[in-house]
Amino acid sequence: MKAFLAGVTAAGSGLLGASLASRPGSRRFPVLTASVAATWFAGARAAGPVPRGRRDVVQPVAAGAAAFGVFYGCALVARRIPPLRRAIAGVLDHAHRGPAASVAAATLVTGAAEELFFRGSLYDGLGARGSTVVYVLSTTATRNPALVLASAVMGTLFAAQRHRSGGVQAPLLTHVTWSALMLGFLPRLFPPSD
C-alpha cells in the first residue's frame, strides 16, 4: 500500500508542478489542475474507505476563516518583501488571467481532493506527521516558496483537525473555506503585473 500511495503522490505532485508552471490564462491550466484533483480523488478511492469523522460544520468553517485572517495579515507584510511578493503574485496570476469560474472550481475541487488523499488515505498510512511532511514535499513541485510555506502551516492545521475530528470532513471544510476566501480576497492585494 505504501508503494501505491508513493506512486499517487509522485503523479499528483508532478501534475501540480506542471499546472502552476503553465502560462496563466492558458487552456493547459484547467486541464492540468483537473488532472491533479482526479489523481488525488482516484488515489484516495483506490486506497479504501476514508473516515468522515464528526459531522461538525461550524468549527471547521470558523477555523478556515480564522486561518484566512492570519494569511491575509501575512500577505499585507509579504507585499513589502520582493521574493514573497513575486511568489504570491505568480500564483495569483492564474486567478487574474483565467476564467473566474474555472479557477474557482479548480481551487475548491483540488482542495477537497487533497484532503481526501492527504488527510484520508495518506494520514491512515503515515499518521499526522508523515502525511504533513509528504504534503509539504508534494507542494515543493510548484517551486513556489509561498505555497510551500502555506502547505506547512495549513497541512499542520488540517492534520490536527483530522486527529481531533476522526475523519476528513473537518479538514476538508476548513481547506475549502480557506481557499475560497484566499481566492476571493488575495488577488486584490496583488494586482496583475501587466
Side-chain angles (χ1 to χ4, degrees), residues 116-184:
L116 291 174
F117 182 71
F118 288 97
R119 258 61 64 183
S121 305
L122 212 59
Y123 185 100
D124 287 344
L126 302 178
R129 183 173 293 145
S131 63
T132 301
V133 168
V134 172
Y135 184 59
V136 173
L137 290 174
S138 174
T139 308
T140 63
T142 66
R143 297 178 302 282
N144 186 300
L147 288 178
V148 174
L149 182 59
S151 73
V153 173
M154 294 307 291
T156 301
L157 173 62
F158 299 146
Q161 286 193 306
R162 163 62 203 267
H163 175 74
R164 182 185 150 281
S165 70
V168 296
Q169 178 174 304
L172 190 150
L173 289 173
T174 299
H175 196 148
V176 169
T177 301
W178 174 73
S179 294
L181 291 169
M182 295 287 277
L183 184 60

Side-chain angles (χ1 to χ4, degrees), residues 8 11 13 17 23 42 45 57 59 64 103 125 138 150 156 167 180:
V8 172
S13 300
R23 187 175 48 81
R45 183 162 174 84
V57 172
Q59 186 280 331
V103 171
S138 174
T156 301

Side-chain angles (χ1 to χ4, degrees), residues 87-118:
I88 296 168
V91 173
L92 293 176
D93 266 352
H94 291 284
H96 289 301
R97 301 180 198 289
S102 174
V103 171
T107 301
L108 301 179
V109 171
T110 302
E114 285 179 0
E115 293 315 306
L116 291 174
F117 182 71
F118 288 97

